[in-house]
Amino acid sequence: MSADPGQFVLTLLQAVAMGLLTGMVYGLMALGLSVIFGVMRVVNFAHGEMMVVGMYLAWLAFDRLGLDPLVSLPAVAAALFVFGYVLQRTVINPFIGLPEHMQFMLLLAVAILLVNACLAIFGPDTHGVQVDYMFDSFNVGPLVLDAVRVYAALVALLIAGLLWLFFTRTRSGKAIRAAADNHVGALVVGLDVKRLYALTFGVGAACVGAAGALMLLIVQVHPFLAIDYTLLAFVIVIVGGLGSMSGALAGGLLIGVSEAVAGVLLQPSLKSVFSFGLLILVLLLRPQGLLARRS
Amino acid sequence: MLDVSGLDLHYGDAQALAGVSLHAQAREIVVIVGANGAGKSSLIRTIHGMHRPSAGRITFEGIDIAGQPSHQVVERGIGQVAEGRQVFPNLSVLENLEMGAAPRRARAQEKATLERVFGLFPRLAERRRQAAGTLSGGEQQMLAIGRCLMGQPKLIMLDEPSLGLSPAMTQEVFRVVRQLHADGLTILLVEQNVMASLKLANRAYVLENGRIVLSGTGPELLDNDGVRQAYLGL
């Protein structure tokens, strides 16, 4: 920490900017969780694990094929979509509507399987990618923004926009919203709710897979990141408001910023103190979340 | 058109329907009356595929549809206007109607059907951008009926469509039912407004404790002493 107050403000602003950029990727990750919960009231306890699977897939594409994660992202998202769709159709669907603790056990089991599969295949060491723009940066006024974060944030924003178009402009997207809005109504009009649920889980998984590919530009992957990301996604979604898409994005930005600022004010290893502190504050003052539609 | 025979439905150990048989011919208005909890909604929902019957047959246009999921039943041409309207409150009126065109069969003429529905219910056209949850009860009932028509059903089952509506709105609902019948639809109507609905009925059934206890033409049931005492308070 600098003694010069001007320098300190600049450092802080720099951290906020970085936090916002990383926060977009967090937001995309949380969006996946939020969509799944909002539609079928299932809490995906394997969310961080799916994020890490996305990261490993992007790493494989880089390591074996030399593909930039930004290039392999559509394929990674598609793979996670298929995984999510099939997982919902085969394993999760029979648990819809059962007591929450049973769903929790099931998804925890999925999480344990995924993280240990990653451990068995890739080992406990970290893997990262080296892209040629790794050390590039953009100067915005006095701020210096890492190119990787800027690209990751822009792509995350783009995907969130595509998701919004999907939910507001396509028949399937509207049908998913309808099924979330009124389950009985969806059966009454003859929507194939089971297919829509599988589609939703697929879309949520694709979001988190894409977020994983983007995150690999920023951090290195190892299996034990998974539990941290699951927790982080929960914190973001609860802060933003469960089931609210804009809430998930806003929560992602907020948590991204709080982590970055904590890194400046305290130290990077204490960054979770701020996000969990924020969570406690939100739970005390506005338990429905910041942008929840109804209380 | 629709033949139900020996239909049993259980919720766990509780029996909701016991040996229910009924029949609806094409272009008929069939009315089912009964007290609360008699099993009227259970019957409608079982025909619609929302509940799986424990015994019995449901034949629609010669095909056994008992136990088929709702989306397949709707695809065959059975529409439902559910009790409590069951609109999608956070979707716009227009989106609600679009969702009504869920069956593939109905997609080709979706635009034309929409114009027809707006012609039948001009209020819905005025409010097409509004969230369905902001509509009045009567308007939501219109939306529920319009949404059902979007699926181009051949048989339409209405579950207590006048429940909770003002007398004027109730009359409007009955006007619409007569209109739909005149347009060639077959109608299965469950109503607590026994007098008004029996007057419309070509065929009527009285359901008590999950059993059909009486059946006949509308006028026959209107003249029946048991019906007059139990449901009309006469």
Side-chain angles (χ1 to χ4, degrees), chain B residues 51-68:
Chain B
H51 300 311
R52 181 178 284 275
S54 27
R57 279 156 50 90
I58 305 168
T59 319
F60 181 66
E61 294 187 319
I63 297 163
D64 191 1
I65 56 163
Q68 283 192 0

Side-chain angles (χ1 to χ4, degrees), chain A residues 25 37 60 62 95 97 99 124 127 132-133 138 153-154 160 190 210 213 215 223 227 246 258-259 289:
Chain A
V25 181
F37 179 81
L60 270 181
F62 176 84
F95 283 75
H127 298 287
D132 25 346
Y133 49 87
F138 298 105
L154 286 179
M215 194 53 91
I227 182 71
S246 47
S258 80
E259 282 192 350

Side-chain angles (χ1 to χ4, degrees), chain A:
Chain A
M1 222 180 279
S2 168
D4 177 2
Q7 185 61 41
F8 175 67
V9 169
L10 192 62
T11 311
L12 210 57
L13 276 179
Q14 178 76 33
V16 168
M18 289 301 196
L20 282 174
L21 295 176
T22 313
M24 275 310 303
V25 181
Y26 284 167
L28 181 61
M29 166 182 80
L31 207 50
L33 187 69
S34 190
V35 162
I36 292 169
F37 179 81
V39 173
M40 64 191 101
R41 303 281 133 179
V42 166
V43 179
N44 181 17
F45 283 95
H47 206 67
E49 284 71 12
M50 282 156 65
M51 174 98 167
V52 164
V53 168
M55 293 175 87
Y56 272 120
L57 289 178
W59 177 77
L60 270 181
F62 176 84
D63 189 58
R64 301 292 151 88
L65 308 169
L67 290 179
D68 185 317
L70 293 178
V71 175
S72 63
L73 181 141
V76 171
L80 264 293
F81 174 88
V82 172
F83 174 74
Y85 191 99
V86 172
L87 186 72
Q88 152 66 23
R89 263 269 104 127
T90 53
V91 178
I92 298 173
N93 197 51
F95 283 75
I96 298 268
L98 289 184
E100 278 151 8
H101 65 271
M102 294 172 86
Q103 298 178 355
F104 168 70
M105 294 298 271
L106 174 73
L107 283 152
L108 198 65
V110 171
I112 292 170
L113 283 172
L114 284 181
V115 79
N116 283 289
C118 287
L119 189 61
I121 298 168
F122 301 103
D125 299 334
T126 60
H127 298 287
V129 294
Q130 291 84 39
V131 287
D132 25 346
Y133 49 87
M134 216 176 157
F135 300 109
D136 292 357
S137 56
F138 298 105
N139 294 314
V140 181
L143 301 177
V144 183
L145 306 179
D146 301 347
V148 283
R149 280 178 212 262
V150 171
Y151 295 151
L154 286 179
V155 173
L157 196 63
L158 176 76
I159 294 170
L162 288 177
L163 202 63
W164 183 78
L165 284 178
F166 171 71
F167 279 119
T168 55
R169 297 281 188 274
T170 69
R171 179 176 282 279
S172 291
K174 289 178 198 175
I176 287 175
R177 279 167 53 222
D181 214 12
N182 184 345
H183 181 254
V184 173
L187 293 174
V188 164
V189 298
L191 294 174
D192 186 350
V193 176
K194 279 184 186 166
R195 188 187 71 86
L196 290 174
Y197 279 180
L199 193 60
T200 304
F201 213 93
V203 167
C207 278
V208 73
L214 294 175
M215 194 53 91
L216 191 66
L217 286 172
I218 302 172
V219 302
Q220 296 189 322
V221 60
H222 60 87
F224 306 109
L225 277 180
I227 182 71
D228 291 346
Y229 282 137
T230 298
L231 266 178
L232 194 64
F234 284 157
V235 171
I236 289 168
V237 161
I238 292 166
V239 166
L242 267 175
S244 154
M245 283 182 62
S246 47
L249 286 180
L253 294 180
L254 206 59
I255 295 299
V257 169
S258 80
E259 282 192 350
V261 169
V264 173
L265 295 183
L266 305 166
Q267 46 177 307
S269 59
L270 285 178
K271 62 183 186 179
S272 300
V273 171
F274 265 47
S275 32
F276 284 111
L278 208 59
L279 173 68
I280 291 169
L281 269 182
V282 167
L283 286 178
L284 285 175
L285 301 176
R286 197 176 155 79
Q288 72 271 37
L290 295 176
L291 292 183
R293 228 181 308 180
R294 37 178 186 260
S295 51

Side-chain angles (χ1 to χ4, degrees), chain B residues 186-208:
Chain B
T186 310
I187 288 169
L188 185 62
L189 176 64
V190 164
E191 256 295 334
Q192 25 109 36
N193 198 331
V194 175
M195 180 77 93
S197 51
L198 283 183
K199 278 183 184 163
L200 286 183
N202 300 114
R203 191 193 300 271
Y205 296 89
V206 177
L207 196 59
E208 264 174 28

